Amino acid sequence: MKKQVVIIFAVLCVALALLTAGAVTTSQAAQGKVSYTCPMPEDADVIMDKPGKCPKCGMDLVAKNQEPAVKYTCPMHPDVIADKPGKCPKCGMNLVPMKEQKK
């Protein structure tokens, strides 16, 4: 009986955490503060008020005011780009966050 209560409690905690993780985006969307756009530069003029697919290319729209994803690169091999920190496959150096490029 205690084991079942602990399992139910754990499931409820996870569910609560998942619901509150999206609460900021949901409340911003309810207030009209979030807009969605196509991640493709040539379709950047596509702006919607809710998530969905880009009508031009079919890609998933992304929230416009989200922080850009951090990419990592090797200081010695700028052609090596990764989505997470790690080691360069060419030289073994630590990958560092890429600096945002000015447009």
Side-chain angles (χ1 to χ4, degrees):
M1 179 68 177
K2 285 184 180 182
K3 198 176 211 180
Q4 291 173 335
V5 171
V6 170
I7 291 172
I8 291 171
F9 181 75
V11 169
L12 289 174
C13 288
V14 170
L16 181 62
L18 291 173
L19 287 173
T20 56
V24 173
T25 304
T26 304
S27 67
Q28 286 178 340
Q31 296 171 5
K33 293 182 181 178
V34 175
S35 58
Y36 297 86
T37 186
C38 181
M40 296 298 293
E42 58 268 16
D43 298 336
D45 60 326
V46 173
I47 299 173
M48 304 283 191
D49 61 347
K50 59 185 177 183
K53 300 278 185 188
C54 174
K56 291 183 177 180
C57 69
M59 290 185 69
D60 289 330
L61 299 177
V62 295
K64 192 172 183 179
N65 55 353
Q66 283 182 335
E67 292 294 319
V70 176
K71 299 283 187 180
Y72 296 86
T73 187
C74 175
M76 298 301 292
H77 302 98
D79 58 312
V80 174
I81 299 173
D83 293 331
K84 57 186 177 182
K87 300 280 185 187
C88 174
K90 294 181 178 180
C91 67
M93 288 183 66
N94 289 332
L95 299 180
V96 298
M98 291 179 71
K99 294 181 179 168
E100 192 172 316
Q101 303 232 347
K102 294 182 181 179
K103 293 180 181 179

